Amino acid sequence: MRLPVTPTTTLWRDLRDRVRRQSPAGRVIVAVDGLDGAGKTVFADGLAEVFAETGDAVFRAGIDGFHRPRIERYARGRRSPEGFYLDSYDYPTFRRVLIDPFRDGAQTAAATGFQLAAFDVVRDAPVESQWVTAPLDAVLVVDGIFLNRPQLRDLWDWSIWLDVPFEMAFARMALRDGSDPDPDAPANARYRQGQELYLDEARPREAASVIVDNTDLARPRIVGHG
């Protein structure tokens, strides 16, 4: 079913067309990066839907499906910003069960299975393996924080940075999670400072293919390129 025409869906279709001009066939991986609370999941879901409108085989994954166990995430302390940035996600598993087999499937006629999630952070336990396959031409849309860190950049054919101020991001998280909306609140220090480490080290705005101002969810707009 085709999505209605709105400023948001028009932008999604524009981005889809840009990706397809660069990569008209084969396996394509698109990353949607941004602060926690930037609107990444909804944006990535919509982007996947407009790819599907044109008949693409589309798959969705989030880096949140590849958390590390709690004991590892908090090894540096429950309040550690470094721990949040460095220890939240299991990137080797992410590459091994999703990215690498998705890529490998474009090189062979044999079906290569991949896994869209590996860990349930709420249960703090691995999920039951569910392997899926794709045709030779397929799109994978991945959303999450820290996706343009240096060791991941080579994974993406295209990446989007959703730009919102910290104040807006934490206000949205407060509505979503019941957390403190003040970015400077002590309870938010781990998350704000961890993301500041990422911004300083990785410079994700510069690494992204395109920068989208997502402050107004009803009217996102392209404001730059990496």
Side-chain angles (χ1 to χ4, degrees), residues 72-89:
E72 297 178 13
R73 298 199 310 274
Y74 294 127
R76 301 172 200 257
R78 293 186 65 87
R79 295 182 178 274
S80 168
E82 292 82 7
F84 182 55
Y85 177 39
L86 298 175
D87 302 329
S88 287
Y89 298 106

Side-chain angles (χ1 to χ4, degrees), residues 4 24 42 117 146:
V42 171
F146 306 150

Side-chain angles (χ1 to χ4, degrees), residues 29-103:
I29 306 179
V30 180
V32 180
D33 189 12
L35 298 177
D36 201 357
K40 299 179 297 301
T41 300
V42 171
F43 197 96
D45 285 346
L47 187 62
E49 287 192 62
V50 298
F51 271 106
E53 286 180 348
T54 56
D56 285 299
V58 187
F59 299 84
R60 275 283 289 117
I63 198 65
D64 282 350
F66 295 87
H67 270 93
R68 297 173 69 181
R70 186 178 295 118
I71 193 170
E72 297 178 13
R73 298 199 310 274
Y74 294 127
R76 301 172 200 257
R78 293 186 65 87
R79 295 182 178 274
S80 168
E82 292 82 7
F84 182 55
Y85 177 39
L86 298 175
D87 302 329
S88 287
Y89 298 106
D90 184 351
Y91 298 117
T93 296
F94 175 66
R95 297 186 75 139
R96 177 175 55 82
V97 306
L98 175 56
I99 299 299
D100 291 345
F102 182 83
R103 288 286 191 207

